[in-house]
Amino acid sequence: MLQMQAAFWVTRCVGDVGSSAEDLGRSYLHVPTGGLHDRSSLVAGQRLLTELGLLVEHEELVRPHRDLVALRSLPSDAFVEALLERVLSQRHDMWLSAFASGDEVYWERVPADAAHLLQAVFADPNRRTAFVLSTARKIDVALLAEIGAEGEEAVVAACRKYLLAKDRADLADHVARLSLEDDTLGYDVTSPDCRGRRHHLEVKATRSIGTRIDFYLSRNEATIGANDPSWAIVIARQEISGPNGELAMRVIGWLTYWDIASALPIDTTPANDLMGRWANARMTIPDSQLRPGLPLDRN
């Protein structure tokens, strides 16, 4: 907490184009912190900002990242909250990921040091809970985005392998990852089956472990799925595949739109000129509901 508060004052000492390391260190002797921070405290704050990539040190020059330029316009309490979110997001603490899909924080599962820090930043327990849930979901979305491309490549490879095994090398060349060109189609990969029929595959990559799969579905994807009989969701999971903990992505099954339709949110009925329409939904599907193989197998 002290380090994050000191970081706030450090941002006041770094110019828009940066400062020399020597000038920055000298300026710490004159920062009006009201006696809350000494030079060593401010150096610790600088170190935190550097670790987070918000300060860039190069050839004796310390420059602020553009994100820091935006953050330093915040008042001190809001700055500390924003910095804490960045700390948690970059460290990817496992306890935080556990709350990504929930609406409640089980504080007994939060490490004591993290709980004490959160309590110091957020005196209001409701705001504290909201912060944890919001940060957990942001981290979850970011992690899924990281592995999304890998999942799509795994599905492309699986479709080509399937067609080659059926002696249809001519069709294997027509498997394509369309998300590279347009991510608004409602599907990521297009592949023919052995009869030459075209399938539209929405790929969901996951790191979910256990007996369930979590993924996000957009309203656009659901709309396409409801109206396109050739549309399907293909699930690819990142799993440990080697003795040294190597990770690999593999296809573990697929779903039709109608397999999940009953679990989708429902728009509210207009009342008093108020209406709610869902845009994205987080889906949780038991492994047992996945259809094996690829949609190319279906009749």
Side-chain angles (χ1 to χ4, degrees):
M1 182 65 178
L2 185 66
Q3 199 173 12
M4 289 192 297
Q5 291 172 335
F8 170 80
W9 291 103
V10 172
T11 65
R12 269 47 187 173
C13 300
V14 181
D16 289 344
V17 296
S19 306
S20 71
E22 183 178 352
D23 287 345
L24 186 60
R26 194 161 39 237
S27 69
Y28 292 160
L29 300 173
H30 310 288
V31 179
T33 68
L36 294 176
H37 303 282
D38 57 15
R39 187 179 184 281
S40 63
S41 174
L42 294 168
V43 169
Q46 178 183 335
R47 184 168 60 251
L48 175 61
L49 292 173
T50 302
E51 291 172 356
L52 295 174
L54 292 171
L55 282 180
V56 180
E57 300 181 7
H58 180 65
E59 295 182 351
E60 298 300 316
L61 183 67
V62 180
R63 295 183 291 106
H65 188 276
R66 62 178 179 275
D67 290 349
L68 185 60
V69 174
L71 284 177
R72 68 181 177 189
S73 64
L74 298 173
S76 60
D77 56 343
F79 175 89
V80 168
E81 292 179 18
L83 199 61
L84 177 58
E85 180 183 81
R86 198 174 184 105
V87 168
L88 295 177
S89 297
Q90 290 196 13
R91 292 181 179 173
H92 291 173
D93 288 341
M94 292 302 295
W95 66 266
L96 190 60
S97 300
F99 301 121
S101 60
D103 297 315
E104 183 178 356
V105 176
Y106 298 95
W107 289 102
E108 66 275 12
R109 300 180 188 176
V110 179
D113 57 345
H116 292 156
L117 177 57
L118 288 161
Q119 190 171 7
V121 176
F122 300 97
D124 184 334
N126 292 324
R127 285 202 63 216
R128 198 182 313 147
T129 295
F131 174 84
V132 170
L133 294 175
S134 173
T135 303
R137 288 166 186 157
K138 287 180 182 178
I139 292 174
D140 192 47
V141 169
L143 288 173
L144 291 177
E146 285 180 17
I147 64 173
E150 187 180 347
E152 292 173 13
E153 289 294 343
V155 171
V156 168
C159 290
R160 288 175 177 163
K161 181 178 180 180
Y162 171 84
L163 292 168
L164 289 172
K166 299 291 185 179
D167 294 324
R168 295 307 307 265
D170 57 321
L171 294 175
D173 291 336
H174 294 283
V175 180
R177 184 180 164 203
L178 297 183
S179 62
L180 293 173
E181 304 297 331
D182 189 346
D183 61 359
T184 65
L185 296 173
Y187 56 92
D188 304 304
V189 173
T190 179
S191 174
D193 60 20
C194 292
R195 300 180 188 179
R197 297 175 302 184
R198 181 65 60 179
H199 293 261
H200 300 145
L201 311 179
E202 172 59 31
V203 179
K204 298 300 180 184
T206 181
R207 286 174 171 163
S208 299
I209 58 176
T211 60
R212 69 178 191 177
I213 301 294
D214 293 318
F215 61 86
Y216 292 93
L217 190 75
S218 72
R219 189 184 187 99
N220 179 55
E221 292 163 354
T223 300
I224 299 299
N227 294 281
D228 181 358
S230 65
W231 184 93
I233 296 172
V234 180
I235 306 294
R237 175 188 272 158
Q238 190 179 65
E239 301 175 339
I240 296 176
S241 65
N244 298 317
E246 299 91 344
L247 296 175
M249 190 74 70
R250 72 180 186 90
V251 174
I252 61 172
W254 60 282
L255 300 158
T256 69
Y257 168 80
W258 301 108
D259 290 334
I260 62 170
S262 62
L264 290 172
I266 299 174
D267 294 339
T268 61
T269 303
N272 300 324
D273 295 326
L274 296 175
M275 180 179 178
R277 297 178 75 250
W278 72 275
N280 291 280
R282 184 183 178 108
M283 311 296 295
T284 300
I285 307 294
D287 281 11
S288 58
Q289 288 193 12
L290 293 178
R291 299 169 184 251
L294 290 162
L296 311 186
D297 296 321
R298 61 178 167 180
N299 296 325

